[in-house]
Amino acid sequence: MVNDRLLGELRGALVPGAGIEESGAALSRVIAPIVAHDGLRCGVMNPSLGVGISALGFWHGYGPDLGRELMSVGSFAAGLPELGRLARQTVPVGVVDLSVPLGAFGVGEELCLVLRDTRGVWGLVSLTRAAGGRPFDADDTHAIAAVGRPLIAALRGCVTARPVAPTADGLPPGMLVVGADGKVRAMTPVARQWLAAEAPQDAVPDWLLESFLAALSFEAHAHARDPRRRYPRTCFRSAGSGWTGIEAQPLGDNGDVAITVQRATGTLLLPTFCDWYQITTRERQVMRYLHNGTAPRRIARLLDLSVHTVDDYLKALFRKTGTCGRDELIAAINA
C-alpha cells in the first residue's frame, strides 16, 4: 500500500521543469523527517533500458567537488556492481562508509535505496551524513525502504504531467566526441544547441553534465569489451515535453566515443514511453501494431483476441496517456 500522504508531499516536491538542485532541496525537505540527513542525491533510470545511465537526477547538499568525485568514471564503475547487488536484495537498502575515500569532503556514511518495482530498477536514492555524525541504523533502513514505492509513483507523475505530444519542434540529431579522459573533444553546432536546450546552466550544474558524458563514454567502452552488453542509451523527457534519446558508441581504438543526441521517437522511444505510462505487456503489443499502421481488426486477428478486447486495450492506452484517440497517441510516439 502506497502512503497517500507521503505520495502527495513527494508530488508537491517534484515540479515538472524545476531545476535539479531546486527539486533536490524540495525532495530533501520531504524525506528529512523520515530519515535525517545532510545531503541527498537521486538518479532515475528507465527500467526497460536496464541498470546504468540516469535519465533524470536531483541533488542537494553535495558540493561540486564531492559531486565530481562521486560521479567520476572510477566511482561510476565501482558503483554499478553495488547497485546491481542492492537491487537483488529483498530489501534494496544498504549503507556505504565513505569516510575513508571521501573524508576530505566531510562525508561519513551514505544510505542507499534502490528504487525498484515489478517493472525493474527506476534508480537510486542516497542520503549522506557528515563525518563524525550518528551512523545510519536499522530504523533508518526500515524508514527509507518505505519511501521507495511512493517516490516511484511521484516520479512517474512528474514525468507524465506534461502534454503527451511535444509543444515545440525538435532539433535535428547532434553529435559530441568524448575522449578517453571523459572530456568533450568536439561537438557539432546542433549538439551545442541540444545541450543549451536540455541542460540550461541554472538547471544542470556543469560538473554533473561532464560526469554524465563521462559515464556514457565508460559504458560505451564496456560494451566494446563485452559485446553481450548493449551500447549505453537513455531517454528522458525534454524541456519541450517531447523525449530526447542519447546513445554512445566507441569511434575506434583511441578511446574516443561518439555520443548522439536526438529526438526519441518510434521504436527508440516505445520501451521508455511504456515504462513511464505504466503500459502493460499486452497493451504494448497493441501499441506496437498501431505504430506500424495496423488496423484494430487486424490486431485482433494477429493477437487472437476479439475486436472488443482490442478496443478495451485501446481505451486503457488512451486513459493512461491522456490522449483522445489513435491519431493523437501515435502522433505522440512519432512526433
Side-chain angles (χ1 to χ4, degrees):
M1 178 69 69
V2 173
N3 183 321
D4 291 337
R5 179 179 176 181
L6 177 57
L7 175 58
E9 292 176 347
L10 290 169
R11 283 177 169 165
L14 299 174
V15 178
I20 283 175
E21 292 176 329
E22 178 186 353
S23 296
L27 195 57
S28 177
R29 286 193 294 271
V30 173
I31 295 178
I34 301 170
V35 179
H37 58 274
D38 299 306
L40 173 148
R41 59 178 173 135
C42 176
V44 186
M45 303 168 189
N46 297 311
S48 292
L49 300 181
V51 174
I53 306 298
S54 295
L56 182 66
F58 310 102
W59 290 70
H60 175 68
Y62 288 75
D65 291 339
L66 174 58
R68 280 192 177 92
E69 183 60 32
L70 283 169
M71 294 297 291
S72 66
V73 169
S75 296
F76 178 81
L80 280 179
E82 178 66 12
L83 177 60
R85 184 187 69 79
L86 282 179
R88 292 189 294 271
Q89 292 183 178
T90 303
V91 179
V93 181
V95 177
V96 180
D97 184 359
L98 298 178
S99 61
V100 174
L102 298 175
F105 299 97
V107 178
E109 288 185 338
E110 190 171 47
L111 178 65
C112 302
L113 164 68
V114 173
L115 300 175
R116 181 193 69 193
D117 65 7
T118 55
R119 282 191 177 269
V121 173
W122 289 90
L124 178 73
V125 176
S126 297
L127 308 177
T128 59
R129 283 182 178 160
R134 180 175 69 83
F136 290 109
D137 57 23
D139 289 340
D140 295 321
T141 297
H142 178 76
I144 195 62
V147 173
R149 290 184 64 189
L151 181 52
I152 291 173
L155 288 165
R156 279 200 304 260
C158 178
V159 170
T160 60
R162 302 180 186 183
V164 69
T167 56
D169 293 336
L171 294 165
M175 180 173 288
L176 304 87
V177 176
V178 176
D181 59 357
K183 304 296 184 183
V184 176
R185 294 168 60 88
M187 69 173 71
T188 63
V190 174
R192 198 176 302 277
Q193 289 180 268
W194 272 107
L195 295 184
E198 304 298 345
Q201 189 174 2
D202 61 342
V204 181
D206 290 342
W207 64 265
L208 188 54
L209 178 59
E210 294 166 5
S211 300
F212 173 75
L213 296 174
L216 278 168
S217 176
F218 170 83
E219 280 287 273
H221 287 299
H223 169 88
R225 293 189 297 270
D226 182 1
R228 292 172 298 179
R229 299 175 66 167
R230 60 182 170 188
Y231 287 122
R233 174 187 296 170
T234 189
C235 289
F236 58 88
R237 203 71 188 261
S238 64
S241 88
W243 295 83
T244 298
I246 301 180
E247 186 176 35
Q249 296 186 30
L251 283 173
D253 297 330
N254 65 349
D256 288 351
V257 169
I259 297 178
T260 304
V261 188
Q262 62 186 320
R263 179 185 289 187
T265 62
T267 55
L268 175 63
L269 173 59
L270 269 174
T272 296
F273 188 90
C274 292
D275 280 339
W276 287 102
Y277 285 95
Q278 301 186 74
I279 294 171
T280 67
T281 300
R282 186 61 108 178
E283 291 165 357
R284 187 178 303 204
Q285 290 176 324
V286 172
M287 197 164 177
R288 285 199 185 103
Y289 281 121
L290 277 180
H291 174 252
N292 292 331
T294 309
R297 288 186 179 277
R298 175 65 175 162
I299 294 174
R301 289 195 294 272
L302 291 169
L303 296 179
D304 194 23
L305 300 171
S306 72
V307 174
H308 293 298
T309 300
V310 171
D311 285 340
D312 287 340
Y313 283 128
L314 290 174
K315 290 175 184 176
L317 286 169
F318 303 151
R319 174 178 52 80
K320 290 179 178 181
T321 59
T323 51
C324 297
R326 284 179 285 165
D327 291 342
E328 186 178 356
L329 177 60
I330 300 307
I333 296 295
N334 290 333

